[in-house]
Amino acid sequence: MDREKVTKSEPVKMQRWLGATKASGAAIVEPVSIARWLLIMVIGLGIYFFYGFTVPILGALVIGFASWPLFAMLKARVNGRRTVAASLAVLLILIFVIVPVFLASSYTLREVGRWLKLAAEANRSGAKTPAWVTNLPFIGDWANEEWTRLFAHPGGIGELIQLVTGSNIGAIYHVALMTGAGIFNFLLTLLFMMIVLFCIYRDGAGFALQIDKLGERVLPKRWERFSRIVPQTVSATVTGMTLIAVGEGVVLGVAYWLAGAPSPITLGVLTGIMALIPGGAPLSFTLVSLYLLGTGSPVAAVALFTWGTTELFIVDKTLRPRIVGGPIKLPFLPTFFGLIGGVKTMGLLGLFIGPVLMALLVAIWREWLRELDARDADNQ
């Protein structure tokens, strides 16, 4: 009996492939170091594989940050059910944001493609001076001479476009056609963005808590201030710039229609897009006013220019300072660099990402200055 107990209590030792081993006192690589390098490797692989989805992911984050207060209200209406609230929020964004933008963009692309086709045909044989350019008061003769010098000979339009954009008119027309034909890629990107947006709505609060937990370890005294800059700046930038751009596009589009300008819907959409860029809206209605003036409608041209100037003054002096705000009041130069640099790097989405990056840089700069002032005060 005792012999059986001893046999059962002894552990069974298996023969190792490489013979007996002796336990060492310490590991060659610390487990914490291994975990860190594995985390860095996984993050690097994730960036490599999902680099092509950067734009839809950032787009979903921008929409999520901007619409989070509305989503919180919607979730309260459905008794806190996150999945139901996220599904309804995505559906509402599709109906009231994505579909109207898609329809307006499709119509505008067709109109712009038609304009580019006419410009390409005129580029082959030379473009004569339009009557409305010759009829411009005070500068009609000078404009006619400049137009003849630049565009009357074959290839003149292409030379100017090559000088300004670095691409010839044929390449631009081809890009416009490819943009209209790339509907499948657009829908695939849109589907991916909506899936990411759904996950942000449903699990965004929990993920934000996890990021805050890690951020407090990395920046224990500064994380709370820095972590609030991004969502508040994105929300203020997107809400303010989008509302102002849509409002100016609609108001000036109606003004174009009342003034008798051609293709008022396309001009209104283009004005709304230009309104996202500093100085874009006044340039748009000024050019349309000059066209109306040259076509023999001076009253409509003056009325349109007066209305556009008044509307722009009201927006810039009253609405824009109240709507466009945030935790960081950016000066003009960082805002301008953020907008232009964002557009050049990431396209339309860069209009919202650029100001956020500039806001972070300004916040870090001000934080360093605050620390220096505090140290100087302590030394005194």
Side-chain angles (χ1 to χ4, degrees):
M1 180 71 68
D2 296 338
R3 186 176 181 181
E4 293 179 356
K5 290 182 179 180
V6 173
T7 304
K8 291 181 179 180
S9 62
E10 292 178 352
V12 180
K13 296 182 178 181
M14 303 296 293
Q15 180 70 27
R16 298 181 64 89
W17 288 1
L18 301 178
T21 58
K22 183 179 179 180
S24 59
I28 298 176
V29 183
E30 294 294 333
V32 177
S33 298
I34 296 177
R36 289 175 179 173
W37 282 108
L38 286 176
L39 179 61
I40 293 174
M41 184 178 66
V42 170
I43 293 175
L45 290 175
I47 294 174
Y48 174 76
F49 283 108
F50 296 103
Y51 175 76
F53 296 97
T54 303
V55 172
I57 291 175
L58 291 177
L61 288 173
V62 167
I63 297 175
F65 283 141
S67 60
W68 191 261
L70 298 178
F71 171 72
M73 297 172 56
L74 180 61
K75 187 171 69 172
R77 291 291 184 92
V78 296
N79 300 323
R81 291 178 290 180
R82 296 180 304 167
T83 303
V84 176
S87 302
L88 291 176
V90 172
L91 182 63
L92 291 174
I93 288 176
L94 280 173
I95 294 175
F96 294 103
V97 178
I98 303 299
V99 172
V101 170
F102 176 74
L103 294 177
S105 301
S106 300
Y107 179 83
T108 303
L109 284 175
R110 288 197 300 267
E111 287 290 318
V112 172
R114 190 177 297 113
W115 294 350
L116 290 176
K117 184 178 180 180
L118 294 175
E121 294 176 353
N123 184 60
R124 295 191 188 99
S125 58
K128 297 181 179 180
T129 306
W132 65 271
V133 174
T134 307
N135 295 331
L136 289 173
F138 304 110
I139 62 172
D141 295 335
W142 173 82
N144 182 27
E145 293 177 359
E146 292 297 319
W147 185 286
T148 303
R149 182 176 64 86
L150 294 174
F151 306 128
H153 61 280
I157 299 177
E159 292 175 359
L160 182 62
I161 293 177
Q162 179 78 26
L163 179 64
V164 174
T165 65
S167 301
N168 56 59
I169 189 171
I172 296 176
Y173 179 59
H174 180 69
V175 169
L177 293 179
M178 294 297 294
T179 303
I183 186 67
F184 177 75
N185 292 331
F186 172 79
L187 292 177
L188 183 62
T189 303
L190 179 62
L191 176 63
F192 185 82
M193 186 176 69
M194 291 295 103
I195 293 174
V196 175
L197 183 60
F198 173 81
C199 295
I200 291 173
Y201 282 144
R202 190 186 63 178
D203 305 320
F207 188 64
L209 292 176
Q210 297 176 15
I211 294 179
D212 285 339
K213 187 176 181 179
L214 293 176
E216 290 294 339
R217 293 291 186 92
V218 179
L219 299 171
K221 296 181 179 180
R222 304 182 183 91
W223 176 255
E224 185 177 359
R225 289 193 294 270
F226 288 165
S227 63
R228 301 300 176 259
I229 290 174
V230 174
Q232 293 179 14
T233 304
V234 171
S235 179
T237 303
V238 173
T239 303
M241 294 181 62
T242 303
L243 288 178
I244 290 175
V246 172
E248 289 189 352
V250 172
V251 171
L252 290 175
V254 173
Y256 296 154
W257 174 67
L258 294 176
S263 301
I265 297 178
T266 303
L267 293 176
V269 172
L270 294 177
T271 301
I273 296 175
M274 292 292 291
L276 296 171
I277 305 172
L283 176 63
S284 300
F285 68 74
T286 300
L287 292 177
V288 177
S289 299
L290 289 175
Y291 172 80
L292 293 174
L293 184 64
T295 54
S297 302
V299 176
V302 173
L304 176 61
F305 185 79
T306 304
W307 170 252
T309 305
T310 305
E311 180 263 345
L312 187 67
F313 177 81
I314 294 174
V315 169
D316 287 342
K317 297 301 180 181
T318 59
L319 296 180
R320 192 183 297 272
R322 295 185 179 184
I323 296 178
V324 181
I328 300 295
K329 300 298 182 181
L330 289 177
F332 171 77
L333 196 59
T335 303
F336 182 77
F337 284 162
L339 292 172
I340 302 302
V343 171
K344 183 176 179 58
T345 305
M346 304 185 65
L348 186 61
L349 186 62
L351 287 171
F352 310 110
I353 303 299
V356 174
L357 296 179
M358 295 304 299
L360 287 175
L361 291 176
V362 171
I364 294 172
W365 177 261
R366 291 175 179 174
E367 186 69 20
W368 284 345
L369 293 179
R370 190 181 295 111
E371 286 187 358
L372 293 176
D373 293 338
R375 290 178 183 177
D376 293 340
D378 293 337
N379 293 332
Q380 294 177 357

